[in-house]
DNA sequence: ACCAGGAGTATACGACTGTTTACTAGCCGG
DNA sequence: CCGGCTAGTAAACAGTCGTATACTCCTGGT
């Protein structure tokens, strides 16, 4: 047996901060704000609990830092308006059996609880999803149409979380394309 | 001023149990499982905290009792398959600006947290929504189609909770009808 | 070689949570 | 009219939460 030497880590404020942030990103995305404790985050980051408070002020502050570091969805909404339904359908079909890579939606799917988190999640949902999507839509009722497509995005995630993942079939993608066409009215 | 006499309530096990159940129904529906404490329920029911445990075993048991007392959605799914999209659309449009009357969906919309609640919520979602809806559908892929319609139902609720209520317009109802047609493939 | 500053640590704090215990007091059959 | 059953009560329990404090010890500049 080699002696149980716990490899001493060099003291690096920035690296530790980043480990905490990364652990929070993963855990928040997997389990939502309320289910994740700062102790879980600290353990996953292999850091001391007090450092979470020191570097991010509070749990809510850490949550905000996680959301800030995420890209928007503008890439998904690029291209011709006519291609939007199928692109959204393919993205959503992926969501049927796999949680999003980006923690943004994973986190937004949940976290309806704490009012403070609710506020930041709402703001993020608007600026990262609704508004970019609305900007791509021509014609009347752009807001209502974008909102309805967002509802489908959220709903598929909610269904996967509650009923378990389901491998999407080509028929599912076609159905979803039709659904998004109906949502967006294109 | 009439003297502050706290009207003595007759001792009635069944009535007290019912008050607790009703308070839990309301609170769970409004705020979800995790946000509601047994102390809040006891206070709303004007009953002692210990009685919750005595009559329902545990908080989760009380939650289960709330869900059990609720009607299913079979009424919504009755009638001709061709009328389903519009009926669902009208119901869903109502959900855009008002939480469901029935605490079932209000509760199911939330409560993705505790694993025990997750299990009972999942089971209830299947038996009260997915299965009755699936039974009304003819043709292939009934399960996938019912599941997709359920996703829209959940998604509209999730969107209302996060972005606030929105008064549905006739155009919204038409859009939703088209969405459910696309989901159900009819 | 030294020492100040800060990264990292251990632990305590107060406020909650769901649950349980020991108790009081009202009712009802005899 | 009175004793036992039981609805209802008050308080405490054990645990967890987010947060704050006081401390140790490594490290880099002089």
């Amino acid at each position: 047996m080699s002696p149980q030497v716990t490899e001493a880590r060099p003291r690096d404020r920035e690296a530790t901060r980043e480990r905490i942030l990364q652990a929070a990103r993963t855990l928040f995305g997997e389990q939502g704000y309320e289910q994740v404790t700062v102790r879980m985050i600290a353990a996953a980051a292999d850091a001391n609990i007090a450092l979470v408070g020191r570097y991010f002020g509070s749990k809510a502050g850490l949550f905000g830092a996680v959301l800030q570091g995420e890209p928007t969805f503008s890439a998904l909404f690029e291209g011709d308006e006519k291609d939007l339904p199928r692109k959204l359908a393919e993205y959503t079909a992926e969501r049927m059996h796999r949680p999003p890579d980006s923690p943004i939606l994973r986190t937004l799917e949940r976290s309806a609880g704490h009012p403070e988190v609710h506020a930041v999640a709402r703001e993020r949902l608007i600026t990262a999803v609704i508004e970019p999507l609305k900007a791509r839509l021509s014609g009347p009722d752009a807001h209502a149409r974008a909102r309805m497509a967002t509802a489908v995005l959220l709903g598929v995630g909610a269904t996967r979380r509650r009923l378990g993942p389901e491998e999407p079939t080509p028929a599912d993608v076609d159905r979803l394309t039709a659904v998004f066409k109906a949502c967006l009215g294109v």
Side-chain angles (χ1 to χ4, degrees), chain A residues 1 10 37 39 58-59 69 74 96 118 134 140 159 171:
Chain A
M1 296 286 181
T37 69
R39 283 171 177 79
S58 66
K59 185 187 180 185
S74 44
M96 281 176 59
H118 181 88
K134 193 203 292 192
T159 307

Side-chain angles (χ1 to χ4, degrees), chain A residues 30 41-42 61 69 71 84 88 103 128 140 152 173:
Chain A
E30 282 172 356
I41 295 172
L84 258 181
L88 289 178
V152 175
V173 178

Side-chain angles (χ1 to χ4, degrees), chain A residues 49-72:
Chain A
I49 316 170
L51 295 180
V52 175
R54 194 188 298 293
Y55 293 151
F56 297 96
S58 66
K59 185 187 180 185
L62 174 56
F63 184 71
V66 166
L67 288 194
Q68 275 199 354
E70 289 299 308
T72 66

